[in-house]
């Protein structure tokens, strides 16, 4: 296991010759350019790039920038985790970070310290270390979800590439050193560099803003507009879901005002990129990079613009740095980095970038590129994965399987064989996983089509992988309040960044809504599947699936999985004064309301079923 390195004075160290940190492009470092820049740079770009070089100290200073260490706080936000389908952004934990960028060794070390609310009350401090050397990624932390037991592990190529892309966009010196060493990276500004056509979120989609979730109950602290509060206040769902409410209609406006840049007065420098061109917007007077924009793929919304603005430039040992960096995703908040200290050319310790012993990284270029194509989705949902996986199966009953991406997955998909077809429950997020499950089922049950794809609720890690099933002709079954949300997801424009199964095979979709007051039945003489609505506070559109023949229930994000795993296998008990999760209570009430005979409970986040009696004991203990 790696150790956190102690603070100590760092003498300045300048290298005579340097190579650019193109590890942040996921690949080997580019060598120092040996040809005349004017022969490689497109016409009209030389003056702009020289201006940008001067703004960070000039060519010689940039070439001698051997590395740096940055201490900062980071706030991160994610779409797709709101309380209602298509509505709500969530603020993640505030992270204390120390990022060491060793440009000479082509290495990154990111230490992250977070305070996580403990289920028994109070907070636990959690430290995670991400190390990337060349294109090889490693991580050392204790898995918050208890899925991966090992503290030290190799990062998958998609997760490695996604982390590198984020760091690359937040650090303009990396981009400029790439151009310094390889001027051919500069593209003709007349090229396809416009990210303005990507999907932008409206205020109705961003609000309500979840700024905290009470770990002990699952309830949310919300920032809302009055119109939203008027529409939900007093409803049973709102009373279960909301812990506190702050009316602040200007919340989104403040972010958008803070990152607004008058682009008409700025000069453009377009860089080639294997996902989408990166456009640097440079102030013609100061030469400083004011903003950059590019575009990537979102599994729900399709093409989404990524925009980064750079503020409060300060000079450290002759090198100017932006002390405040904001990344916007689809026009809404993505990441805010508040830098407190920077060391230029620190004396990195020899073991600071040493991979953990006994851990082997295996690179795959195609997987890495896909990770870069969805970097912010990967940042928000680390277990989802972006690669084309190998599917493994757990046979629960004859004709009933839990399918997952081997060797480890965060969401387990259920497949139920019926006489005339197959019902798939919970697609997860990775669309390539869906394609491979379709292929697996085609081999297992030749001649039987997937008739239905059922989703427990709209959160990205559960629902965002629906499109390959729609392309295969399956009927989508969701809570009736979520039908319009899924219609938009299915009918979005074809991507310019990443073409998926539904882009390749656009078909008319059938979406059936589960009524709020009763079940939806997928009838079958052999194995019927019945979908029931859940009245709970986790989300408005929660449903669960019952297999009547087997006496089995499948649910996502309720008692089964996380809580059950901690209780049953971790030995964690609910402490005195700590109420049971309201979503666990909602699951039990749903079972009782519909008088379900389901002695076996299966959850989307766990491979091991648990008895219904465990849920009852948890609530009563």
């Amino acid at each position: 296991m790696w150790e956190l390195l102690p603070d100590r004075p760092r003498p300045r160290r300048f290298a005579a010759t340097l190579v650019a940190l193109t590890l942040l492009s996921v690949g080997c470092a580019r060598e120092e350019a040996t040809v005349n820049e004017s022969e490689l740079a497109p016409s009209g770009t030389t003056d702009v790039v020289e201006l940008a070089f001067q703004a960070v100290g000039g060519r010689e200073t940039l070439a001698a920038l051997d590395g740096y260490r940055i201490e900062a706080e980071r706030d991160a936000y994610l779409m797709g985790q709101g309380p209602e389908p298509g509505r709500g952004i969530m603020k993640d934990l505030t992270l204390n970070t120390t990022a060491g960028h060793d440009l000479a060794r082509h290495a990154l070390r990111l230490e992250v310290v977070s305070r996580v609310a403990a289920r028994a009350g109070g907070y636990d401090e959690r430290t995670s270390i991400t190390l990337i050397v060349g294109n090889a990624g490693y991580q050392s932390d204790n898995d918050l979800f208890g899925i991966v037991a090992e503290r030290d592990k190799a990062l998958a190529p998609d997760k490695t590439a996604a982390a590198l892309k984020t760091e690359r966009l937040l650090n303009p010196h990396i981009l400029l050193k790439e151009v310094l060493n390889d001027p051919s990276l500069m593209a003709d500004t007349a090229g396809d560099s416009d990210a303005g056509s990507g999907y932008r979120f409206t205020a109705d989609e961003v609000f309500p803003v979840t700024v905290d979730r009470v770990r002990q109950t699952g309830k949310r602290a919300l920032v809302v507009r009055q119109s939203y509060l008027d529409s939900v206040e007093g409803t049973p769902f709102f009373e279960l879901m909301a812990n506190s409410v702050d009316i602040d209609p200007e919340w989104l406006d403040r972010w958008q005002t803070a990152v607004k840049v008058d682009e008409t007065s700025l000069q453009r420098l377009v860089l080639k990129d294997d996902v989408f061109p990166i456009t640097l917007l440079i102030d013609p007077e100061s030469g400083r990079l004011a903003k950059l924009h590019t575009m990537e793929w979102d599994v729900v919304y399709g093409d989404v613009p990524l925009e980064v603005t750079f503020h409060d430039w300060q000079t450290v040992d002759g090198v100017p740095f932006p002390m405040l960096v904001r990344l916007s995703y689809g026009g809404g908040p993505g990441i805010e980095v508040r830098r407190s200290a920077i060391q230029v050319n620190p004396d990195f310790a020899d073991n600071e970038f040493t991979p953990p012993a006994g851990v082997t990284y295996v690179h795959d270029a195609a997987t890495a590129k896909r990770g870069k194509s969805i970097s912010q989705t990967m940042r928000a949902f680390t277990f989802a994965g972006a690669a084309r996986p190998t599917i493994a199966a757990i046979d629960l009953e004859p004709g009933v399987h839990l399918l997952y991406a081997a060797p480890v997955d965060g969401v387990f998909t259920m497949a139920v064989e019926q006489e005339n077809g197959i019902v798939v429950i919970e697609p997860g997020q990775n669309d390539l996983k869906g394609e491979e499950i379709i292929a697996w089922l085609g081999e297992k049950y030749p001649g039987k089509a997937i008739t239905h794809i059922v989703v427990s609720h709209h959160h990205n890690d559960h629902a965002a992988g629906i499109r390959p099933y729609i392309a295969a002709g399956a009927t989508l079954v969701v809570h009736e309040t979520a039908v319009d949300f899924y219609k938009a997801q299915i009918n979005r424009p074809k991507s310019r960044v990443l073409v998926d199964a539904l882009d390749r095979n656009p078909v008319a979709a059938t979406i059936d809504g589960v009524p709020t007051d009763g079940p939806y039945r997928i009838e079958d003489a052999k194995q019927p599947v019945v979908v029931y609505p859940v009245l709970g506070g986790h989300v408005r559109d929660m449903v669960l699936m019952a297999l009547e023949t087997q006496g089995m229930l499948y649910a996502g994000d309720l008692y089964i999985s996380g809580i059950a795993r901690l209780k049953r296998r971790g030995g964690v008990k609910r402490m005195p004064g700590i109420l049971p999760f309201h979503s666990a209570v909602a699951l039990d009430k749903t079972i009782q309301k519909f008088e379900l005979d389901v002695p076996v409970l299966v959850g989307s986040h766990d491979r091991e079923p648990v008895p219904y009696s465990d849920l009852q004991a948890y609530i009563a203990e």
Side-chain angles (χ1 to χ4, degrees):
M1 185 175 78
W2 303 324
E3 299 291 337
L4 289 177
L5 297 173
D7 293 331
R8 59 184 184 276
R10 307 282 183 176
R12 295 180 63 188
R13 175 168 57 90
F14 288 85
T17 59
L18 295 162
V19 184
L21 181 63
T22 55
L23 71 94
L24 296 178
S25 302
V26 184
C28 298
R30 292 186 171 94
E31 296 296 334
E32 190 82 27
T34 58
V35 295
N36 188 288
E37 179 181 323
S38 63
E39 296 176 358
L40 295 172
S43 176
T45 62
T46 303
D47 292 343
V48 179
V49 75
E50 286 299 330
L51 188 64
F53 289 160
Q54 289 302 315
V56 292
R59 277 179 171 268
E60 291 186 2
T61 297
L62 187 59
L65 183 60
D66 196 14
Y68 48 85
R69 188 193 308 278
I70 299 178
E71 296 178 14
E73 282 188 340
R74 293 190 185 188
D75 291 337
Y77 300 83
L78 56 148
M79 295 295 294
Q81 288 292 100
E84 301 183 53
R87 301 189 71 169
I89 193 171
M90 182 173 177
K91 180 182 179 296
D92 209 347
L93 301 171
T94 295
L95 306 173
N96 292 310
T97 64
T98 301
H101 295 265
D102 192 325
L103 310 190
R105 303 185 203 189
H106 327 305
L108 163 71
R109 180 188 172 104
L110 181 64
E111 298 178 5
V112 177
V113 180
S114 58
R115 296 179 71 241
V116 181
R119 293 186 187 275
Y123 290 86
D124 294 330
E125 188 170 279
R126 179 172 179 264
T127 300
S128 174
I129 302 173
T130 298
L131 174 66
I132 302 176
V133 182
N135 58 21
Y138 310 89
Q139 192 164 46
S140 179
D141 64 6
N142 294 321
D143 172 23
L144 183 63
F145 301 102
I147 296 173
V148 180
E150 295 79 14
R151 178 169 174 82
D152 296 337
K153 52 252 182 189
L155 275 179
D158 49 355
K159 295 179 175 66
T160 301
L164 289 174
K165 178 179 177 179
T166 297
E167 294 305 308
R168 184 180 183 225
L169 295 179
L170 296 177
N171 289 271
H173 299 77
I174 294 169
L175 294 169
L176 293 175
K177 279 186 72 72
E178 290 178 358
V179 174
L180 178 68
N181 290 298
D182 186 357
S184 69
L185 290 175
M186 292 182 286
D188 189 334
T189 56
D192 184 16
S193 61
D194 180 24
S197 60
Y199 190 91
R200 291 184 178 272
F201 301 110
T202 66
D204 284 341
E205 292 170 312
V206 171
F207 285 100
V209 181
T210 300
V211 294
D212 190 22
R213 287 182 66 181
V214 181
R215 185 73 168 164
Q216 293 74 27
T217 65
K219 288 192 172 186
R220 298 170 183 256
L222 298 173
V223 176
V224 303
R225 297 184 299 173
Q226 185 66 51
S227 58
Y228 174 79
L229 188 60
D230 291 342
S231 69
V232 299
E233 194 171 23
T235 64
F237 168 73
F238 182 75
E239 296 303 318
L240 287 169
M241 176 267 294
N243 184 61
S244 64
V245 175
D246 178 21
I247 300 173
D248 185 0
E250 308 300 321
W251 187 91
L252 178 61
D253 291 339
R254 285 197 297 275
W255 175 274
Q256 293 180 335
T257 299
V259 299
K260 187 175 182 179
V261 171
D262 181 8
E263 298 187 16
T264 60
S265 63
L266 303 178
Q267 298 192 38
R268 297 160 65 92
L269 178 64
V270 181
L271 306 184
K272 300 173 185 176
D273 186 79
D274 57 357
V275 173
F276 197 85
I278 301 172
T279 299
L280 310 184
L281 300 170
I282 297 168
D283 187 302
E285 295 184 3
S286 67
R288 288 177 179 168
L289 179 60
K291 178 180 179 179
L292 66 78
H293 64 70
T294 185
M295 192 152 63
E296 68 177 42
W297 190 70
D298 184 282
V299 69
V300 173
Y301 296 96
D303 294 346
V304 172
L306 273 180
E307 299 159 302
V308 185
T309 52
F310 304 94
H311 315 263
D312 187 22
W313 287 76
Q314 297 181 22
T315 299
V316 180
D317 285 348
V319 184
F321 288 86
M323 302 302 290
L324 177 62
V325 182
R326 295 187 175 101
L327 183 151
S328 297
Y329 189 69
I335 303 174
E336 179 172 282
V337 183
R338 299 179 295 275
R339 294 169 167 172
S340 57
I342 298 176
Q343 297 172 331
V344 174
N345 291 334
D347 185 16
F348 290 116
D350 291 338
N351 65 344
E352 199 158 347
F353 301 98
T354 301
V359 178
T360 302
Y361 171 85
V362 179
H363 187 65
D364 180 83
T367 299
K369 181 179 178 181
R370 192 172 177 89
K372 284 199 295 181
S373 300
I374 60 170
S375 69
Q376 298 312 295
T377 298
M378 295 294 296
R379 172 186 62 80
F381 301 95
T382 56
F383 267 112
R388 186 176 295 279
T390 298
I391 300 301
I394 301 167
D395 298 330
L396 299 177
E397 294 281 349
V400 181
H401 316 280
L402 274 186
L403 305 177
Y404 64 98
V408 62
D409 200 350
V411 171
F412 292 80
T413 299
M414 179 177 279
V416 181
E417 180 202 12
Q418 296 187 322
E419 282 192 344
N420 298 315
I422 300 167
V423 176
V424 175
I425 299 170
E426 207 78 316
Q429 181 167 295
N430 181 0
D431 65 306
L432 293 185
K433 176 183 172 183
E435 292 184 21
E436 291 304 305
I437 286 178
I438 292 169
W440 189 93
L441 291 170
E443 294 180 5
K444 179 75 173 178
Y445 300 106
K448 284 194 173 183
I450 297 173
T451 60
H452 297 79
I453 174 70
V454 189
V455 180
S456 70
H457 64 297
H458 74 276
H459 283 173
N460 283 21
D461 53 329
H462 295 261
I466 63 168
R467 284 170 57 93
Y469 297 98
I470 302 301
T475 293
L476 176 64
V477 180
V478 297
H479 194 283
E480 65 179 10
T481 60
V483 168
D484 288 342
F485 167 72
Y486 288 103
K487 282 183 179 178
Q489 182 175 341
I490 290 167
N491 295 320
R492 71 194 190 204
K494 182 177 180 179
S495 173
R496 299 163 62 190
V497 176
L498 196 157
V499 175
D500 68 4
L502 195 53
D503 283 338
R504 295 190 298 269
N505 181 37
V507 298
T510 300
I511 307 178
D512 288 351
V514 178
T516 57
D517 58 353
Y520 172 98
R521 298 187 65 88
I522 305 174
E523 298 288 4
D524 184 69
K526 182 179 181 180
Q527 295 192 131
V529 176
V530 190
V531 188
Y532 294 92
V534 178
L535 177 59
H538 185 60
V539 291
R540 184 187 290 273
D541 63 313
M542 181 71 75
V543 300
L544 56 80
M545 288 60 71
L547 279 60
E548 293 180 332
T549 302
Q550 293 82 5
M552 186 178 294
L553 178 148
Y554 183 100
D557 280 355
L558 297 176
Y559 165 75
I560 317 162
S561 303
I563 305 173
R565 183 166 51 245
L566 287 171
K567 173 182 169 54
R568 190 171 181 82
R569 296 188 291 284
V572 177
K573 292 186 177 182
R574 184 159 54 84
M575 302 299 290
I578 301 299
L579 296 174
F581 266 62
H582 67 275
S583 56
V585 176
L587 171 60
D588 189 48
K589 286 184 176 180
T590 302
I591 292 172
Q592 295 182 37
K593 175 183 177 180
F594 292 105
E595 299 179 344
L596 303 182
D597 181 14
V598 284
V600 178
L601 308 181
V602 181
S604 56
H605 288 311
D606 200 1
R607 60 187 297 148
E608 294 186 27
V610 297
Y612 174 43
S613 58
D614 268 16
L615 169 62
Q616 295 172 307
Y618 164 74
I619 293 173
E621 79 181 6

